[in-house]
Amino acid sequence: MTFLSQYRELFALPQFGSSLFAAVAGKLKPGISAVALLLEVAHYRGLGQAAVVVSVSALAGATVPLRGRLMDGYGYTLVMFPGLVAHLGALIVLVWNESTHGSFAITVVCAFIASASLPPIYIVTRLMWGAMTTDDLRRSILSLDAVLTDVGYIVGPTIAAVLVVAVAPWAGLAASALLTTIATLLLLSRKLPHQHRQVRSAERHWLGPLRDRAVRRTMVAVVAFFVAVRAIELAFPAWAQQHDAPLMSGVLLSCMSVGSMAGGLALGALPAKRASRATFPVTLAALSAGTLLVAAASLSWTAILIVAAAIMGMAVGPSFVALWATVGDLSPENMAAETQSWISSFMSLGGAVGAAASGVVVQALGPGALLLLAAVALALASGLAHLAISGRTKTSEQAPGVDTSRVVTSEVQ
């Protein structure tokens, strides 16, 4: 079938099977690790202290841009392999300390070290995809990557819970460690991505890629994007609570996830020329319109809201695909890993702001108003993304001898 020709070409690439296995392992890991850590500590100390440990672990995630900068400067092997050793060591000490009812401070420190040293598998995976594929296949592989991310966050927590209940409190963390090890070693064995070592000079600005105005605008767009994502995620439970139907929160979130996977797969199956029209500003605008549809449906019958949630979700997956493609195009010279790393940090910032704002809006105005806020945030993100891309395009036209809009492939050769 012509519709599936893009995916057939992907699976025909050399060593694609092992690369896909590494990606799957890396996608399952985040969904397993947070729940596994929570359940491991809660088994011995209760949910209150377990929540503190998980929060400290999440806080250590702010060090991802530093790890990205180190990878750009020293190479992936010299950063990822020692990081893997430190990560595994910290998890072993944490599990031992919990099983022997040791100091809570040791558990907290180990959780921080394990998170701060974790090899950024998802970043390297996307850079690997960029190095493996041509422009014709890049959106297809990024679409598949986005779908795998959705699957990982759906399946991962279930795997962690089953392992903890059926095997032992430490089993979830053991599975997380195993997946991290497999993904890291497979990625490093592929020797992808590979960069020439940067030349150290006073010319490198301390802001790194954030010195670039187009990158800064994109990061602000990412914050607005994730303010909206968090608002949508919280609007569904608020609606369910308002209508005395607590189970509907899970149904609505699942429908959005299914729509997201369907949209991502559909985008990846399109020919490159058609898929390239789904730019970051365009997908965000479509998601904003879909959110308005959901806001209107929230005032109607439940069945209509379910359908609207699935339709809106079809723009979520493509928005992530377009984001990764845009970041790859805008990454400054020899800063691909750090640029990708900053995206994760700004996603977390947007999610935190969105959660705080959502609580206020829901209590004051209700879930419908929260969905409207999300739609406005998405429209703002779309405008900022358009400014970033158009600004870079104008710069390229004014300086035709300088290639300022490179793809990720040029950064990893």
Side-chain angles (χ1 to χ4, degrees):
M1 295 175 61
T2 305
F3 182 70
L4 298 177
S5 62
Q6 297 291 104
Y7 289 117
R8 284 203 300 270
E9 290 184 43
L10 280 179
F11 280 85
L13 291 174
Q15 295 183 301
F16 182 77
S18 61
S19 300
L20 184 63
F21 187 77
V24 171
K27 301 303 180 188
L28 285 173
K29 190 270 173 195
I32 292 176
S33 60
V35 174
L37 180 61
L38 178 71
L39 295 179
E40 161 70 10
V41 180
H43 178 77
Y44 296 99
R45 303 180 187 273
L47 282 175
Q49 288 183 305
V52 173
V53 174
V54 172
S55 298
V56 170
S57 177
L59 179 63
T63 63
V64 174
L66 174 60
R67 279 171 273 167
R69 179 171 293 193
L70 290 172
M71 288 194 299
D72 285 332
Y74 296 98
Y76 296 88
T77 302
L78 290 178
V79 176
M80 293 183 71
F81 189 74
L84 175 63
V85 173
H87 174 73
L88 296 177
L91 287 182
I92 291 172
V93 174
L94 187 150
V95 170
W96 171 81
N97 186 64
E98 288 301 292
S99 63
T100 58
H101 304 281
S103 169
F104 180 62
I106 293 177
T107 295
V108 171
V109 170
C110 286
F112 183 89
I113 293 174
S115 181
S117 60
L118 177 67
I121 298 166
Y122 55 95
I123 294 171
V124 181
T125 300
R126 293 190 188 105
L127 297 178
M128 177 187 66
W129 294 144
M132 288 179 61
T133 56
T134 61
D135 289 343
D136 290 342
L137 293 176
R138 185 155 298 116
R139 273 185 168 76
S140 296
I141 192 60
L142 290 176
S143 297
L144 184 59
D145 189 85
V147 171
L148 290 176
T149 300
D150 282 332
V151 172
Y153 277 106
I154 293 172
V155 176
T158 302
I159 293 175
V162 169
L163 286 173
V164 168
V165 172
V167 182
W170 50 262
L173 287 179
S176 174
L178 178 61
L179 290 171
T180 301
T181 302
I182 291 172
T184 301
L185 295 181
L186 280 175
L187 288 172
L188 292 179
S189 69
R190 289 295 318 276
K191 300 188 184 302
L192 287 171
H194 173 73
Q195 290 182 295
H196 298 295
R197 182 171 293 189
Q198 290 184 22
V199 177
R200 299 292 190 277
S201 71
E203 294 179 2
R204 181 181 175 95
H205 196 273
W206 66 274
L207 283 174
L210 297 183
R211 189 182 185 186
D212 186 285
R213 182 167 59 181
V215 174
R216 289 199 304 271
R217 286 174 172 172
T218 302
M219 298 302 171
V220 178
V222 168
V223 172
F225 177 27
F226 261 71
V227 166
V229 169
R230 187 65 70 236
I232 294 169
E233 291 176 345
L234 294 177
F236 287 152
W239 183 91
Q241 185 179 31
Q242 187 181 67
H243 290 78
D244 296 320
L247 290 178
M248 281 306 300
S249 60
V251 172
L252 293 171
L253 289 170
S254 297
C255 287
M256 184 179 71
S257 297
V258 170
S260 175
M261 289 187 283
L265 287 173
L267 177 63
L270 293 176
K273 185 174 291 186
R274 293 181 62 185
S276 64
R277 298 172 187 169
T279 62
F280 194 35
V282 170
T283 57
L284 287 174
L287 185 54
S288 178
T291 306
L292 288 175
L293 176 65
V294 172
S298 68
L299 304 176
S300 183
W301 294 297
T302 301
I304 295 178
L305 178 59
I306 291 174
V307 173
I311 293 174
M312 181 265 290
M314 293 184 69
V316 175
S319 293
F320 280 100
V321 174
L323 170 60
W324 304 130
T326 299
V327 171
D329 291 341
L330 297 180
S331 296
E333 185 70 28
N334 287 322
M335 296 184 187
E338 185 180 352
T339 307
Q340 294 275 351
S341 302
W342 276 115
I343 289 292
S344 299
S345 295
F346 281 99
M347 283 180 176
S348 299
L349 175 60
V353 173
S358 297
V360 175
V361 173
V362 163
Q363 288 186 352
L365 301 172
L370 183 56
L371 289 166
L372 290 176
L373 171 66
V376 171
L378 288 166
L380 174 62
S382 177
L384 289 168
H386 176 72
L387 283 176
I389 295 172
S390 62
R392 176 57 63 86
T393 302
K394 290 178 181 178
T395 302
S396 300
E397 292 173 351
Q398 293 171 0
V402 179
D403 185 10
T404 57
S405 183
R406 299 167 293 101
V407 294
V408 172
T409 311
S410 64
E411 305 218 13
V412 295
Q413 291 175 342

